[in-house]
Amino acid sequence: MNRIDKDNIFSLLFKTALKSGEVALSMQKTIVNEKKPVDEIENETSCHKAMREAKTKADEIVQEMFLNALLPYKDILTLDVEEDTCSTSLYNLKNYECTFILDPIDGTLRYIQQEDGWSICAGIIKENTFLCALVYFPKRKIMYVCEKDKGAYVYHNPKHIDERKRLVFPSMINKDKIYYNYRLATSFVSYLQENGFEMIEDTKNQIGCPDAIIECINAKACAYIGAGRNLRDILLAVIFSFMQQGKALDFQGNPIVWETHGRQKELVITINAYLMQVLSKYKK
């Protein structure tokens, strides 16, 4: 194919997420941590390094299932995927005009530890605009998705592509709790605290980035702020931005320009008008 069929490619992602989720679930009880080498990061905690090092056979199998499903689009897609597997060599484009983003098992350490907070994350971005994205938690039986021109939705016990509900914010929202990642400058954290916000690092109490963003979706937190986060890890934030009133901003409160691959330098997701005002006055 020489063009993206948005509906078709979302259908492929949805079906593959369900199938690969079944495979990952069937493997979880006997899974082994094979580990992978990672670069050293200054001031990184041992817990965070362990999360980056974690790797299993399931990561590779899930990724191969997606890459094989998307083979009709191999001549127009650039890959931004977690693992180096057999089929990555079939995708030769490197221009990132239209990119397939995949984390086959986001939260591999949780997967190894038999928890339910791991997910399958996939998305398609074309020229800085997401066409679609999904985050599927197989053990929780819940999937969050977004589609361009359609909005954001949630599937409970997903089986059929049309059986979903629109994601909407509750009427009662938290107004001061903000989650953030450890790369955020301490001066920025202090600035927000001085303006009345409760700042919570996303590793505190082992909540993790995905569940921190889900708290924002459920209005139990008013924002998530990320510095230098990999796009593969923040597709839930993309889905948040497709909700009515959901905003994705940079640190000055401007509408975000999504990177085409790799890391998003600055990210704020929120529906809090006061926070937007505070960001507009922030000076780096």
Side-chain angles (χ1 to χ4, degrees):
M1 295 185 183
N2 57 11
R3 59 180 291 274
I4 291 288
D5 181 328
K6 182 166 62 68
D7 292 334
N8 174 257
I9 207 163
F10 176 75
S11 177
L12 289 174
L13 295 182
F14 177 82
K15 292 175 182 177
T16 307
L18 292 186
K19 290 178 182 177
S20 62
E22 290 180 5
V23 171
L25 272 174
S26 71
M27 297 176 67
Q28 188 177 10
K29 287 184 179 180
T30 57
I31 208 67
V32 174
N33 188 356
E34 299 177 354
K35 291 192 175 182
K36 60 186 175 185
V38 295
D39 295 330
E40 295 290 332
I41 296 178
E42 188 177 357
N43 298 323
E44 183 179 32
T45 65
S46 58
C47 178
H48 191 271
K49 184 178 181 182
M51 288 190 289
R52 292 196 301 120
E53 286 177 326
K55 178 186 175 184
T56 70
K57 187 60 68 177
D59 293 82
E60 297 177 347
I61 291 173
V62 170
Q63 178 164 303
E64 280 294 292
M65 291 178 72
F66 274 95
L67 295 185
N68 280 293
L70 293 179
L71 277 177
Y73 294 99
K74 68 180 177 63
D75 294 326
I76 56 175
L77 286 176
T78 303
L79 297 183
D80 182 359
V81 298
E82 181 80 10
E83 310 297 340
D84 183 14
T85 57
C86 298
S87 298
T88 54
S89 62
L90 301 176
Y91 293 76
N92 297 315
L93 278 185
K94 302 295 181 186
N95 59 16
Y96 296 102
E97 290 180 3
C98 191
T99 307
F100 172 51
I101 297 170
L102 176 70
D103 192 335
I105 304 284
D106 182 33
T108 303
L109 195 58
R110 293 187 169 193
Y111 177 69
I112 294 165
Q113 294 170 342
Q114 306 302 309
E115 299 176 17
D116 68 356
W118 55 277
S119 59
I120 296 168
C121 306
I124 303 288
I125 186 169
K126 183 177 181 182
E127 296 173 351
N128 308 100
T129 299
F130 275 92
L131 302 183
C132 59
L134 66 80
V135 177
Y136 178 37
F137 294 84
K139 205 162 186 175
R140 296 178 180 176
K141 297 182 179 180
I142 189 167
M143 182 189 294
Y144 302 89
V145 307
C146 64
E147 294 184 76
K148 185 183 178 185
D149 302 323
K150 293 184 180 181
Y153 297 84
V154 62
Y155 294 85
H156 295 280
N157 194 19
K159 293 179 181 178
H160 304 290
I161 198 166
D162 295 323
E163 295 179 357
R164 62 190 188 179
K165 295 182 179 180
R166 185 175 293 277
L167 272 175
V168 295
F169 295 109
S171 56
M172 297 293 290
I173 64 172
N174 179 286
K175 296 183 178 181
D176 57 14
K177 183 194 294 184
I178 295 177
Y179 286 103
Y180 68 98
N181 73 320
Y182 77 98
R183 288 191 177 95
L184 199 64
T186 54
S187 58
F188 192 23
V189 173
S190 297
Y191 172 75
L192 293 171
Q193 288 173 327
E194 290 165 2
N195 281 275
F197 293 101
E198 177 189 5
M199 303 298 293
I200 305 171
E201 190 174 336
D202 63 11
T203 56
K204 188 174 182 180
N205 299 325
Q206 297 185 327
I207 184 169
C209 174
D211 281 327
I213 295 175
I214 289 171
E215 285 212 7
C216 295
I217 290 172
N218 294 329
K220 294 179 180 179
C222 73
Y224 180 83
I225 302 180
R229 289 223 70 125
N230 203 307
L231 281 174
R232 295 190 296 264
D233 300 332
I234 53 172
L235 290 182
L236 275 169
V238 175
I239 293 166
F240 176 101
S241 73
F242 274 70
M243 296 173 67
Q244 188 173 7
Q245 298 180 309
K247 304 293 184 184
L249 312 166
D250 64 20
F251 291 171
Q252 282 71 50
N254 303 308
I256 203 168
V257 177
W258 292 107
E259 299 292 343
T260 58
H261 63 288
R263 295 186 179 276
Q264 189 71 36
K265 185 177 180 182
E266 299 181 355
L267 168 70
V268 181
I269 56 166
T270 191
I271 59 172
N272 187 309
Y274 172 61
L275 174 58
M276 295 180 209
Q277 293 177 1
V278 170
L279 291 173
S280 69
K281 298 175 182 177
Y282 175 61
K283 296 180 181 180
K284 294 183 181 180

